[in-house]
């Protein structure tokens, strides 16, 4: 088997190495899975730099999530899983940037045969995050408005798709025109390119008297929050899911106190770690069906083989990518051509 290990803390290709080892036999409760595809996510670089909730013990097997097929089951595991396609859940107990992995059976759920492998490989993190962002904090009904920054990210694309399906209107904030075009095509109802000038006025103007029930922010810092917060309805909610500025989001005191806007953070991995198994299976079954129907998904920019990990890692960290970068794996990876822009 081949896999990518984090050899030392850092985000450049030199921090990682390709490791070849004999294929391990699954323990009693384990499954041996042949991976089809696994994405490279921004959080992988938070982890590789030592800035993530999970501190890597070196050498660390990289890759949070992926999709593959069970090729062997341990003596105590369900033998009926052999041959089934499974999503490897983002528990960080196994690394998915690998052509074969041994994984505890509790860390997989079965997924549909018909869906695109690349989209299924990305199901564990971003669609689940979008699902929780829309369902956990306020109750939304058709016609309500929500706002989101980082709207062209994979999280944002999934939020727009799920909101649209529920009849909820989205005000999408991006930082460049190409990204604006992208989210318009996905069905965002109002799109703002934030050039650092008068964001608050632009948001208020786009809403034309309406207010946001929920604001989902991936930028952090004081600026964007202060500008958009006045457009959140009194008693509405603000959720931070990321901070590309590295700054904590700063909600103005008056918005917190006089207008009782509630402030939340989300870390979807807490849900993966702690939710009852039944709930995990139900949520991923629903999301997998939506991927299969083409309702949910995120743009893909390129796929690479493990041998091309240096290029893949550099590509995944390019600013202004138009989509995700994933690893695909030999025979099982029929999802895309290695190194191919898509
Ligand atoms: N809290 C959670 O549970 C959770 C779950 C999933 C993801 N996340 C986080 O959510 C974020 C998005 O993840 P993803 O996988 O959806 O990302 P992605 O598809 O790889 O997209 C990255 C996004 O970040 C934007 N961006 C990067 N640097 C930026 C900067 N300096 N200023 C403004 N925008 C910037 C990009 O904009 P351009 O296209 O213009 O470059 C793009 O919209 C990441 O920070 C990730 O770690 C958190």
């Amino acid at each position: 088997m081949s896999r990518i290990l984090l050899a030392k803390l850092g985000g450049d290709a030199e921090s990682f190495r390709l490791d070849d080892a004999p294929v391990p036999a699954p323990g009693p409760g384990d499954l041996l899975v042949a991976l089809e595809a696994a994405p490279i996510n921004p959080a992988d670089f938070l982890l590789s730099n030592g800035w993530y909730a999970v501190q890597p013990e070196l050498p660390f097997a990289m890759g949070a999530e992926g999709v593959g097929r069970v090729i062997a089951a341990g003596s105590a595991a369900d033998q009926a899983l052999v041959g089934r396609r499974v999503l490897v859940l983002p528990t960080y107990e196994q690394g998915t940037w690998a052509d074969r992995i041994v994984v505890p059976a509790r860390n997989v759920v079965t997924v549909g045969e018909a869906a695109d492998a690349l989209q299924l490989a990305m199901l564990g993190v971003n669609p689940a995050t979008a699902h929780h962002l829309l369902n956990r904090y306020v109750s939304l009904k058709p016609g309500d408005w929500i706002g989101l920054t980082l709207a062209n990210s994979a999280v944002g694309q999934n939020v727009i798709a799920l909101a649209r399906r529920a009849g909820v209107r989205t005000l999408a904030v991006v930082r460049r025109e190409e990204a604006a075009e992208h989210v318009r095509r996905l069905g965002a109802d109002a799109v703002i390119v934030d050039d650092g000038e008068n964001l608050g006025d632009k948001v208020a103007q786009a809403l034309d008297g309406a207010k946001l029930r929920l604001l989902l922010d991936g930028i952090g810092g004081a600026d964007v929050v202060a500008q958009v917060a006045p457009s959140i309805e009194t008693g509405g909610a603000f959720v931070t899911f990321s901070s590309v500025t590295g700054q904590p989001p700063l909600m103005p005191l008056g918005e917190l106190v006089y207008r009782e806007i509630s402030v939340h953070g989300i870390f979807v991995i807490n849900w993966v770690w702690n939710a009852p198994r039944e709930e995990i299976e139900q949520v991923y079954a629903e999301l997998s069906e939506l991927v299969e129907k083409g309702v949910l998904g995120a743009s893909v920019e390129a796929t690479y083989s493990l041998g091309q990990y240096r290029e893949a890692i550099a590509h995944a960290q390019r600013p202004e990518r138009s989509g995700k970068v994933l690893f695909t794996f030999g025979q099982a990876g029929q999802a895309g051509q290695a190194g191919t822009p898509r």
Side-chain angles (χ1 to χ4, degrees):
M1 63 174 279
S2 298
R3 60 184 179 162
I4 303 296
L5 296 177
L6 178 69
K8 59 173 183 163
L9 292 186
D12 59 344
E14 303 315 310
S15 304
F16 304 89
R17 72 177 157 85
L18 181 64
D19 177 65
D20 286 307
V23 176
D30 295 337
L31 305 170
L32 177 62
V33 174
L35 270 301
E36 290 179 82
I40 305 178
N41 287 319
D44 295 318
F45 299 110
L46 292 178
L47 181 145
S48 72
N49 279 288
W51 303 329
Y52 197 54
V54 175
Q55 287 299 315
E57 208 169 289
L58 302 175
F60 184 82
M62 289 295 301
E65 58 177 340
V67 70
R69 199 167 293 282
V70 178
I71 51 175
S75 55
D78 181 2
Q79 301 300 312
L81 285 172
V82 177
R84 296 291 304 272
R85 195 181 216 190
V86 291
L87 168 72
V88 179
L89 300 176
T91 61
Y92 293 95
E93 289 178 52
Q94 56 284 311
T96 56
W97 296 356
D99 55 3
R100 300 279 185 279
I101 55 168
V102 168
V103 50
R106 66 172 184 281
N107 286 352
V108 306
V109 292
T110 55
V111 286
E113 289 295 326
D116 175 47
L118 299 182
Q119 293 302 330
L120 285 180
M122 299 187 282
L123 194 65
V125 178
N126 289 328
T129 304
H131 166 85
H132 287 289
L133 286 170
L134 289 173
N135 289 291
R136 220 188 254 182
Y137 306 98
V138 290
S139 105
L140 292 165
K141 54 183 192 319
D144 284 344
W145 279 96
I146 64 159
L148 73 152
T149 63
L150 236 62
N152 68 315
S153 67
V155 172
Q157 293 175 52
N158 283 288
V159 165
I160 293 168
L162 290 178
R164 191 166 178 223
R165 189 165 168 271
V168 169
R169 291 183 282 186
T170 49
L171 175 133
V173 179
V174 295
R175 61 171 175 171
R176 55 201 175 87
E177 189 48 48
E178 192 194 357
E181 254 321 295
H182 185 187
V183 296
R184 270 186 212 110
R185 281 198 306 275
L186 293 176
D189 297 275
V191 181
I192 292 168
V193 179
D194 181 19
D195 55 7
E197 300 284 326
N198 307 323
L199 177 62
D201 294 342
K202 289 176 191 164
V203 168
Q205 205 174 356
L207 289 171
D208 194 21
K211 292 281 185 186
L212 304 169
R213 295 222 63 208
L214 178 66
L215 175 61
L216 310 173
D217 179 49
I219 293 182
D223 262 18
V224 170
V225 184
Q227 296 263 347
V228 187
S231 287
I232 304 175
E233 70 178 27
T234 297
F238 170 90
V239 189
T240 178
F241 63 90
S242 131
S243 174
V244 290
T245 56
Q247 300 299 311
L250 220 56
M251 180 63 71
L253 190 58
E255 305 292 355
L256 274 175
V257 176
Y258 300 137
R259 297 210 309 112
E260 297 189 354
I261 290 171
S262 57
V263 175
H264 309 263
I266 187 174
F267 182 49
V268 75
I269 308 303
N270 281 330
W271 173 77
V272 177
W273 281 331
N274 298 312
R277 175 74 191 177
E278 206 177 307
E279 183 183 323
I280 299 261
E281 285 179 3
Q282 188 205 325
V283 168
Y284 282 120
E286 281 170 21
L287 295 173
S288 155
E289 200 182 319
L290 293 177
V291 166
E292 204 160 310
K293 288 181 176 158
V295 173
L296 266 191
S299 309
V300 171
E301 182 158 290
T303 61
Y304 289 88
S305 69
L306 281 179
Q308 296 168 304
Y309 76 93
R310 290 167 179 280
E311 295 91 322
I313 281 164
H315 192 161
Q317 294 181 90
R318 271 185 218 159
E320 306 189 357
R321 272 182 289 107
S322 66
K324 285 290 191 186
V325 174
L326 296 95
F327 288 113
T328 53
F329 307 99
Q331 263 196 335
Q334 291 159 353
Q337 300 261 306
T340 312
R342 294 168 58 92

